Amino acid sequence: MYVPPKIVTNKDLEPLVGTTDEWVRERTGIEQRHWVEGEVGASDLAYEASQAALDSAGLKAEDLDFIIFATLSPDYPFPGSGCLLQAKLGVPGIPTLDVRNQCSGFVYALAIADQFIRAGTYDRILVVGAEVQSTGLDLSPRGRNIAVLFGDGAGAVVLQATEGDHGILSTHLHADGRYAKELWLEDPGSRKRPRLTHEMIDSGSIYPKMNGREVFRHALIRFPEVIREGLEANGLTPDDVALVIPHQANQRITDAVAERLGLHDRVFSNIAKYGNTTGASIPIALHEAVQQGRIREGDIVVLAAFGAGFAWASAVIRW
Ligand code: UT7
């Protein structure tokens, strides 16, 4: 994982967006987040996390067959950040793919990688989730419900073909586009002529918008549902789970998921330190869970995500 060095506390945001440290802690569990400074894009954060993943796997970028990059905050509208990361890693020629599934992007990316490996097409795939949210937030009172949530960061894994009963057991992907506008960034987009206008900037349509309560309500249903779906597909129950690593959206959502599945302290959380890093939150949490010794060989680990789209997903892993 990698997060930029600059820490922004809730107190730092108080004078900007008209919030309070108490409100943010109570409503979300967030205490601070990391934000980039200067011109830093998602591919820059991804590069650091990818190098760390390669180092920890004892591999070099030349060993990779494919790069899958989950982000809702690509460096540029095009080309994808996967291409930029590939150039930074110095491995021209191997394919790259950007996945645009927001908070569920990393689990979607993992599912794609898993299928390519199962099919025998590729042996080693870098899957990275990286976001720079801070440069796209409305840092005025108008944007406070969103600005306090998001953080910047990246996490990466290297997947490798393996024999035996460990690894990714199954992945489960869902979406419901009827709710696309409950959490979205409207402008600039291809429907508009021109794509970017002064009016868009003035009206704030260039900033993400969320119907927080509606998203929250669906999250409370979809997280437990997609975790159960993954467990049932493998003949498992919540009792078999060593750790659930959910997308870090809100501590209240994480607590409710733990409660509804009877998992208690077996749901990982680090939202207090990083806020919601969207596509990066699961690989960052996975890294910290491993570092903290929360995952042991043979453990059943479930990754689960819900977010914009709406899109939601889970992955069941035997470590
Ligand atoms: O990662 C993708 C998935 N995202 C999620 O799952 C997020 C799901 N939603 C949430 O986490 C919560 O809905 C939020 C944290 C975004 C908001 O919490 P909430 O308890 O649903 O608050 P609310 O939007 O219903 O607003 C309650 C009050 C409002 O004031 P009034 O109308 O009651 O006077 C808001 O204006 O809190 C106010 N408020 C704030 N006050 C201080 C909203 N944002 C802030 C803020 N600071 N930052």
Side-chain angles (χ1 to χ4, degrees):
M1 64 163 282
Y2 178 78
V3 289
K6 183 182 170 193
I7 291 174
V8 178
T9 64
N10 297 339
K11 278 255 177 261
D12 294 332
L13 293 178
E14 284 183 356
L16 289 173
V17 302
T19 189
T20 61
D21 176 45
E22 190 189 12
W23 191 94
V24 182
R25 277 174 198 262
E26 275 180 11
R27 306 310 293 165
T28 72
I30 298 166
E31 294 172 13
Q32 61 172 52
R33 72 286 290 143
H34 291 247
W35 280 2
V36 300
E37 293 177 282
E39 276 197 31
V40 175
S43 71
D44 297 308
L45 304 186
Y47 173 75
E48 302 292 341
S50 299
Q51 280 294 1
L54 287 165
D55 287 348
S56 105
L59 296 170
K60 297 202 176 329
E62 290 73 23
D63 299 319
L64 297 172
D65 301 319
F66 190 20
I67 295 172
I68 308 182
F69 196 129
T71 187
L72 66 62
S73 52
D75 299 54
Y76 308 115
F78 73 86
S81 288
C83 290
L84 308 179
L85 175 62
Q86 185 232 47
K88 288 185 170 105
L89 290 170
V91 283
I94 66 165
T96 73
L97 172 69
D98 274 36
V99 172
R100 296 283 304 276
N101 282 66
Q102 303 75 242
C103 306
S104 302
F106 183 79
V107 183
Y108 266 76
L110 209 62
I112 295 165
D114 184 41
Q115 300 308 316
F116 270 107
I117 288 176
R118 283 176 194 274
T121 312
Y122 299 122
D123 286 333
R124 284 202 193 106
I125 304 181
L126 175 71
V127 181
V128 52
E131 306 284 3
V132 173
Q133 297 274 14
S134 59
T135 51
L137 298 174
D138 183 354
L139 293 179
S140 76
R142 183 179 62 183
R144 68 177 180 175
N145 70 322
I146 295 232
V148 301
L149 302 177
F150 289 122
D152 303 337
V157 300
V158 183
L159 292 188
Q160 179 169 279
T162 185
E163 299 292 330
D165 66 349
H166 63 287
I168 297 175
L169 302 182
S170 62
T171 53
H172 307 270
L173 311 179
H174 297 279
D176 189 341
R178 290 176 299 173
Y179 299 97
K181 295 184 179 177
E182 301 297 339
L183 174 50
W184 70 321
L185 174 51
E186 184 177 0
D187 294 318
S190 60
R191 305 170 70 89
K192 308 290 176 65
R193 296 166 197 265
R195 290 185 181 181
L196 184 60
T197 63
H198 291 288
E199 289 72 36
M200 290 173 191
I201 296 171
D202 294 341
S203 72
S205 66
I206 59 160
Y207 298 116
K209 297 281 179 312
M210 173 165 66
N211 179 353
R213 286 191 187 179
E214 188 68 356
V215 177
F216 196 97
R217 193 171 71 76
H218 284 262
L220 292 191
I221 298 165
R222 296 308 188 188
F223 269 110
E225 188 181 80
V226 80
I227 292 167
R228 278 208 184 90
E229 180 188 352
L231 292 174
E232 280 165 18
N234 293 285
L236 300 167
T237 72
D239 288 344
D240 298 310
V241 174
L243 197 63
V244 168
I245 299 186
H247 163 55
Q248 306 287 303
N250 186 316
Q251 188 60 45
R252 289 187 291 143
I253 295 174
T254 299
D255 291 344
V257 170
E259 164 97 26
R260 286 180 188 197
L261 294 173
L263 288 162
H264 309 294
D265 57 352
R266 288 177 287 143
V267 181
F268 192 82
S269 172
N270 61 5
I271 195 170
K273 286 191 289 183
Y274 305 114
N276 176 347
T277 56
T278 330
S281 90
I282 288 179
I284 289 175
L286 181 62
H287 170 79
E288 292 206 326
V290 171
Q291 292 295 108
Q292 293 168 19
R294 302 269 313 263
I295 303 176
R296 301 215 157 81
E297 201 177 329
D299 277 353
I300 294 293
V301 177
V302 183
L303 313 183
F306 173 85
F310 291 152
W312 61 102
S314 67
V316 183
I317 300 167
R318 191 188 304 280
W319 206 257

